[in-house]
Amino acid sequence: MTQRPRYRFAPSPTGFFHVGGARTALYNWILALQTGGKFVLRIEDTDDSRNNPQWTQGILDALSWLGIDPSDSHFEGPFFQSANAALHVEAAEKLFAQGDAYYCDLTSEEIQKRSKESGKPGYDGFSRDRNLGPGSGRVLRFKVPAGSTTVQDEVRGTVEFDNATIEDFVLLRGNGSPVFLLANVVDDVTQDITHVVRAEEHLPNAPKQQMIWRALGHQPPSWAHVPVLVNEQRKKLSKRRDKVAVEQYREEGILAAAMKNYLMTLGWAPTGDTEIVPFEKITAEFDLSSVNHSPAFFDIVKLHSFNADYIRAMSVGEFIDACLPWLTGAKAPWSTASFDAKVFAEMAPLVQTRVQLLQDVPSMVDFLFCDLPTIDDAAFTKAFAPEWASATLIEIRDAFKTCEFTPDALKAVVEAVGEKHSLKLGKMQAPLRVAVTGRSVGPPLFEPIVLLGREAVLKRIDAALKKQT
Ligand code: GLU
């Protein structure tokens, strides 16, 4: 029986979970689903100076959020690289014992000096035939054979490396600790990984790692190096410069489904005339060989527009549930006591079609959950600048005192006042909107006015008129 593919995702827990990592994880997950294989999660936590359990938890949370679920039968792990340290050293000893690796005691200054003298960059293999044994301060280096190394890459095709350009690289540091190149291969070997799908920045590691695989007596995996994500200036997304943390997008109210769909359109596209498609279609169609070789632009504006589409596609009930974290609890801008779920439910359909991020929902409805709204000064000044503003608002207020209190009747009142003064509804509404909501923009106005009730609205209009005088 041929073995089912075993993919893996091997993040280092050294910071917030990067959107590029999320895309790589999704690729591996989808491929495992497609093939009935496994998605092995390995936390590469061997860099003590940069690791933090908080980051590991962040990775696990973000993966679950994206639907990469540890309880799914395709999921294996998480495994922790630090638990395998003995295996890494054992593999290094094997490579030494069989003559594929040797110890070297040159300091980096000495290596630099030799390189300067010879005019050739890097380490020159000085200790290859010195037969040194292990010892403090001695590094173990892999003996790179002559010839070339061919990496078959599912995204990039055949990539040929001239071994002459690869120095005898370090496997164990002077303190005996294994380096990434070795630990990563040994874990892949131990965990029976058949497919390595990872970021393009690791392509230069592939020939070295392929040599280690072979020297350890194993058939190398199938490789795929996925092009990087870049920002608007076509620079590689970096956590110092760009907003890269999945957590942050989640906090802002990007939906997991929108994020998954958007990430999968970076460098790849589903068939048909829209990129916004169910995850099942993506899972059915995704294919590494059709992933674009060039860097993909991570376009936040487009991500927001995907999100707006996903928000609009929800039922109102789903939308209300999705908004809850922003409406109740710590994120809400009002006290829990003043929030009225029934009032929000009435407003939800109007908000749902106008919002791109769930975090923007409270500012569209906050005026409903307070006594008097906080008036935005700039909006106020602008709305009340025309000489007709106060006079028409007084007329509107007086009509509101007795008119039928329905959206249509209220709108008719404002239109009638507008007609009298030859002003269009949009213009006429501005002072009223600021008086009622405190802002110049927001959802349709007359429905929330009804929700607030006659008394509250008259009070707001009077307060605004008073502010004006
Ligand atoms: N731990 C490595 C990283 O986060 C991944 C290496 C790999 O996928 O082979 O970049």
Side-chain angles (χ1 to χ4, degrees), residues 136-308:
S136 170
R138 293 183 179 178
V139 300
L140 184 70
R141 287 184 177 271
F142 189 84
K143 205 183 273 179
V144 174
S148 65
T149 302
T150 305
V151 169
Q152 291 296 349
D153 189 287
E154 286 191 67
V155 172
R156 320 189 73 85
T158 305
V159 192
E160 191 88 15
F161 294 86
D162 179 355
N163 290 2
T165 64
I166 304 175
E167 68 176 27
D168 286 350
F169 53 89
V170 172
L171 298 170
L172 295 180
R173 300 185 187 88
N175 63 5
S177 67
V179 302
F180 157 76
L181 277 178
L182 176 68
N184 182 262
V185 170
V186 173
D187 286 355
D188 280 344
V189 168
T190 317
Q191 289 160 3
D192 291 327
I193 299 305
T194 57
H195 292 70
V196 170
V197 179
R198 62 183 176 182
E200 186 181 24
E201 66 198 26
H202 288 293
L203 182 61
N205 294 327
K208 299 177 192 171
Q209 295 193 305
Q210 190 159 287
M211 291 175 202
I212 304 177
W213 273 86
R214 292 228 163 90
L216 289 173
H218 296 276
Q219 179 64 24
S222 156
W223 305 99
H225 290 89
V226 180
V228 290
L229 301 183
V230 292
N231 66 14
E232 221 163 1
Q233 288 83 41
R234 306 286 142 181
K235 292 209 176 100
K236 190 176 158 195
L237 279 196
S238 104
K239 58 182 167 194
R240 270 167 297 282
R241 195 174 38 220
D242 305 300
K243 195 160 83 182
V244 298
V246 173
E247 289 90 338
Q248 205 177 345
Y249 288 102
R250 183 181 176 183
E251 283 285 307
E252 290 175 353
I254 293 284
L255 301 171
M259 179 60 101
K260 275 161 79 166
N261 191 162
Y262 179 64
L263 286 173
M264 289 306 295
T265 63
L266 296 170
W268 180 81
T271 58
D273 51 14
T274 171
E275 289 182 308
I276 298 188
V277 293
F279 195 63
E280 292 69 35
K281 179 171 161 77
I282 292 175
T283 305
E285 293 186 357
F286 178 67
D287 170 19
L288 276 176
S289 65
S290 50
V291 170
N292 202 315
H293 295 194
S294 34
F297 170 34
F298 186 78
D299 181 353
I300 296 176
V301 173
K302 195 166 167 192
L303 170 63
H304 286 187
S305 129
F306 266 56
N307 205 49

Side-chain angles (χ1 to χ4, degrees), residues 30-72:
I30 289 170
L31 292 163
L33 295 180
Q34 277 180 350
T35 56
K38 293 285 182 197
F39 170 97
V40 176
L41 175 63
R42 182 172 72 237
I43 306 291
E44 300 210 319
D45 58 344
T46 39
D47 182 351
D48 286 338
S49 60
R50 295 166 71 214
N51 292 328
N52 183 329
Q54 168 204 347
W55 304 132
T56 298
Q57 194 53 48
I59 294 168
L60 297 173
D61 291 346
L63 291 179
S64 296
W65 182 64
L66 291 169
I68 302 179
D69 178 4
S71 66
D72 190 286

